[in-house]
Amino acid sequence: MRRAKSSKIMTYVIAAILILTSIFIYSFQKEKSRLAPSGDSSFTVYMIDVGQGDCAFIDNGDKDILIDAGTNESSDDMVSTLYELGVEDIEYVFFTHPHEDHIGGGDEILRNFDVKNVVMPDAESDTACYRDVMHEIENTGARLEYACAGDKFKIGDADFDILSPEEGAFYSNENLYSLMIRIQYGDVKYLFAGDAEKHNENIVLEDYYDMLDCDVLSVGHHGSYTSSGKDFLEAVSPEIALISVGEGNMYGHPHTETLAELKNYTENIYRTDRHGTVIIGSDGKRLWVEDKN
């Protein structure tokens, strides 16, 4: 009889431990998650739908920032979108690399807005698109800075760290020159990968592993399998993944392999070909998402 009573007590103890453990795990996960239904945003990211290209506008109070400028074809719509958002001057424009789908509308941005600073990798391109952008930088008097891994920018209340490419690197593939930009606003962290590929990711894993855990990832190379390696995504472990991509594009972006790997970390995958322009607001503690479709 005593043994039965002791066994019953032990069962209660084990049950209590399991319940408390479940409560702890739930509380931890709830605290770790930054997603909220809505809120008042003081730092807003707009992943603008520019088709098969990239363009992210960041409203950081009185310091507006642009990362990439879409394609030549999307430049009119992109400029109109920024006008609708009330943009007049842009503190910083980051061109991640000189491919047309990232700098195509750059000349129009420089012509239509008062751009104070332009940041890009030290990588030239023998294209009319690149020459047009460089001409407008010189014509408008915007300050040009070439950036590489280790460079830092303080823009308003946000910290911008360049994680790639390495200083002095030489590549035949222009994607490998992509600026990989980590942004921290309050407790919330973002990573914009440009068209950086697995080669870049592996170097960044070695050099900046402790900085890779981020809440929002702008997925590299439009979701191509040439980017988003398993170890890299595990280190980033994003709560929200953004893919800027054109509907029915000839490259098959985003690739099935990339989507499958991303789903190991988040179900919050937003694609401009399906969701249109995606808006992510933050107060420095929490995040909330809205799309235009």
Side-chain angles (χ1 to χ4, degrees):
M1 187 74 174
R2 187 178 299 165
R3 185 176 298 169
K5 185 175 181 181
S6 175
S7 177
K8 192 173 184 180
I9 292 172
M10 184 58 69
T11 300
Y12 287 148
V13 170
I14 292 171
I17 291 172
L18 290 173
I19 291 170
L20 288 172
T21 301
S22 299
I23 291 172
F24 173 78
I25 291 173
Y26 172 77
S27 299
F28 175 76
Q29 290 175 336
K30 188 175 181 182
E31 181 62 30
K32 185 179 179 184
S33 173
R34 298 195 189 280
L35 280 176
S38 63
D40 293 324
S41 179
S42 48
F43 188 91
T44 309
V45 174
Y46 298 80
M47 180 62 77
I48 299 175
D49 181 8
V50 290
Q52 185 63 20
D54 247 302
C55 179
F57 170 68
I58 301 173
D59 181 352
N60 182 19
D62 60 350
K63 304 291 184 183
D64 290 339
I65 301 132
L66 196 71
I67 300 178
D68 284 331
T71 64
N72 278 309
E73 292 76 17
S74 67
S75 60
D76 288 346
D77 288 341
M78 180 180 56
V79 167
S80 295
T81 297
L82 294 177
Y83 277 142
E84 289 170 9
L85 293 172
V87 178
E88 295 179 357
D89 55 79
I90 302 176
E91 191 71 20
Y92 275 87
V93 172
F94 291 86
F95 293 127
T96 60
H97 65 297
H99 277 167
E100 189 272 339
D101 58 331
H102 290 254
I103 66 168
D107 54 343
E108 290 298 325
I109 291 295
L110 286 153
R111 274 195 287 268
N112 284 275
F113 303 96
D114 179 13
V115 176
K116 304 289 196 303
N117 302 279
V118 174
V119 179
M120 59 198 308
D122 189 5
E124 296 183 357
S125 180
D126 187 23
T127 63
C129 177
Y130 175 79
R131 290 191 293 271
D132 287 345
V133 169
M134 298 306 290
H135 172 75
E136 287 303 327
I137 291 172
E138 183 176 358
N139 190 47
T140 60
R143 176 177 170 271
L144 173 61
E145 181 171 351
Y146 294 108
C148 61
D151 288 339
K152 299 175 180 292
F153 301 85
K154 181 73 172 179
I155 308 176
D157 294 326
D159 295 304
F160 288 64
D161 288 274
I162 308 299
L163 307 186
S164 187
E166 292 183 292
E167 184 176 8
F170 177 78
Y171 299 114
S172 57
N173 178 357
E174 289 181 355
N175 284 340
L176 300 181
Y177 284 106
S178 287
L179 297 179
M180 193 180 293
I181 306 168
R182 178 192 186 269
I183 304 171
Q184 181 154 0
Y185 178 75
D187 296 333
V188 180
K189 292 162 286 187
Y190 309 76
L191 187 62
F192 291 83
D195 277 359
E197 299 191 358
K198 290 176 181 176
H199 172 82
N200 308 97
E201 294 171 358
N202 291 335
I203 294 172
V204 170
L205 278 167
E206 290 184 11
D207 295 345
Y208 296 102
Y209 182 85
D210 293 340
M211 298 179 70
L212 288 178
D213 183 19
C214 290
D215 302 290
V216 180
L217 171 65
S218 176
V219 177
H221 202 181
H222 318 283
S224 170
Y225 62 75
T226 60
S227 306
S228 303
K230 180 178 179 181
D231 291 343
F232 179 75
L233 288 182
E234 184 175 352
V236 178
S237 190
E239 188 155 11
I240 297 172
L242 303 174
I243 304 177
S244 185
V245 65
E247 185 177 5
N249 67 86
M250 61 185 292
Y251 309 102
H253 295 158
H255 289 142
T256 304
E257 305 95 305
T258 303
L259 293 173
E261 196 62 50
L262 279 169
K263 287 177 181 176
N264 289 325
Y265 305 98
T266 181
E267 291 295 323
N268 302 309
I269 300 173
Y270 293 88
R271 303 166 42 169
T272 55
D273 61 334
R274 294 186 176 180
H275 299 94
T277 294
V278 181
I279 305 168
I280 302 179
S282 177
D283 59 3
K285 296 286 186 183
R286 299 289 186 182
L287 290 160
W288 42 94
V289 186
E290 174 188 347
D291 64 71
K292 290 298 187 181
N293 284 352

